Amino acid sequence: MKVGVLALQGDFQEHEQALGKIGVAAVEVRLPERLEGLDGLIIPGGESTTVGKLATTFKLIDPLKEFAKTTPVWGTCGGLVFMAKDVGFDQPVLGVLDMVVERNAFGRQVDSFEEDLDIKGIEGGPFHGVFIRAPEVKQVGPTVEILCRIQDGRIVAVRNGHLFATAFHPELTDDLRLHHYFIEIVAEKSRSI
Ligand code: GLN
């Protein structure tokens, strides 16, 4: 299995380390040709505006859209923003996940918070969610499944088939269950081809 991590900006190294811990070698993706032969891709957190600009410069936008049509992609935080159809800002996004997102939805004063989450499909107790200037999913399309809401009801994890997105940062914890979950999506998809 070959899983890529978009390595333009943000915390891609933490994702690579998490993949390494579960025995999956990560491929750093900065150019379109690196997508060839990958079974899945993680888009890490960072500044989605910067990632969008760099992806435009490196001519990655169309290849990434094409890739996401058939291959599993997981976006975390800024990566979730980059995958969304509507972010309410004029910035380059992939638009592959049918959802409306509000960036930095948790306010300027309290930029970061942590909360224990119940995530559909994740067994073994709550998952510690680390939110850093996190986005909120305001609305989802009819085929998008909501996997997690925080206590106040806001949506922070969604899945549409092979596309998965979380508003928080599992790669900043030692809990590898969401990396396992994504690898299972990748394995399922590879079996179905
Ligand atoms: N606030 C960033 C954005 O909207 C995301 C922050 C993050 O990935 N931690 O792009």
Side-chain angles (χ1 to χ4, degrees), residues 14-82:
E14 284 81 355
H15 274 293
E16 288 168 25
Q17 282 159 10
L19 287 174
K21 283 183 196 157
I22 60 171
V24 176
V27 176
E28 288 191 351
V29 175
R30 293 193 183 82
L31 294 170
E33 45 269 34
R34 294 306 287 268
L35 291 169
E36 271 165 41
L38 294 184
D39 303 303
L41 179 75
I42 296 177
I43 304 180
E47 272 310 312
S48 57
T49 45
T50 307
V51 171
K53 272 184 207 151
L54 292 171
T56 305
T57 305
F58 292 122
K59 301 199 165 26
L60 267 162
I61 299 276
D62 285 337
L64 283 170
K65 282 185 187 174
E66 226 18 67
F67 183 88
K69 279 186 189 162
T70 54
T71 322
V73 178
W74 173 21
T76 57
C77 199
L80 172 147
V81 175
F82 192 48

Side-chain angles (χ1 to χ4, degrees), residues 4-193:
V5 180
L6 191 64
L8 296 175
Q9 189 255 350
D11 66 344
F12 53 89
Q13 282 173 333
E14 284 81 355
H15 274 293
E16 288 168 25
Q17 282 159 10
L19 287 174
K21 283 183 196 157
I22 60 171
V24 176
V27 176
E28 288 191 351
V29 175
R30 293 193 183 82
L31 294 170
E33 45 269 34
R34 294 306 287 268
L35 291 169
E36 271 165 41
L38 294 184
D39 303 303
L41 179 75
I42 296 177
I43 304 180
E47 272 310 312
S48 57
T49 45
T50 307
V51 171
K53 272 184 207 151
L54 292 171
T56 305
T57 305
F58 292 122
K59 301 199 165 26
L60 267 162
I61 299 276
D62 285 337
L64 283 170
K65 282 185 187 174
E66 226 18 67
F67 183 88
K69 279 186 189 162
T70 54
T71 322
V73 178
W74 173 21
T76 57
C77 199
L80 172 147
V81 175
F82 192 48
M83 289 174 77
K85 201 160 255 180
D86 182 348
V87 297
F89 265 89
D90 188 15
Q91 67 182 72
V93 289
L94 299 179
V96 293
L97 242 174
D98 187 6
M99 59 183 177
V100 179
V101 163
E102 185 185 334
R103 294 180 56 207
N104 306 320
F106 298 91
R108 291 208 162 76
Q109 284 158 312
V110 188
D111 281 338
S112 308
F113 67 98
E114 303 189 10
E115 187 174 313
D116 282 337
L117 308 170
D118 274 323
I119 307 172
K120 197 175 166 199
I122 303 300
E123 316 260 294
F127 192 96
H128 193 66
V130 177
F131 294 82
I132 303 168
R133 301 209 307 122
E136 175 198 347
V137 179
K138 297 291 255 189
Q139 219 176 296
V140 295
T143 58
V144 180
E145 188 185 5
I146 295 166
L147 299 182
C148 181
R149 292 176 185 269
I150 53 171
Q151 264 166 26
D152 69 8
R154 298 199 245 184
I155 304 167
V156 295
V158 296
R159 178 173 172 181
N160 191 10
H162 62 280
L163 302 176
F164 173 44
T166 52
F168 48 96
H169 289 273
E171 74 285 3
L172 298 183
T173 70
D174 290 329
D175 195 334
L176 298 166
R177 283 179 291 166
L178 283 188
H179 287 82
H180 276 291
Y181 179 83
F182 180 61
I183 293 307
E184 193 45 47
I185 297 176
V186 174
E188 265 168 37
K189 189 75 187 167
S190 308
R191 280 196 294 270
S192 71
I193 292 168

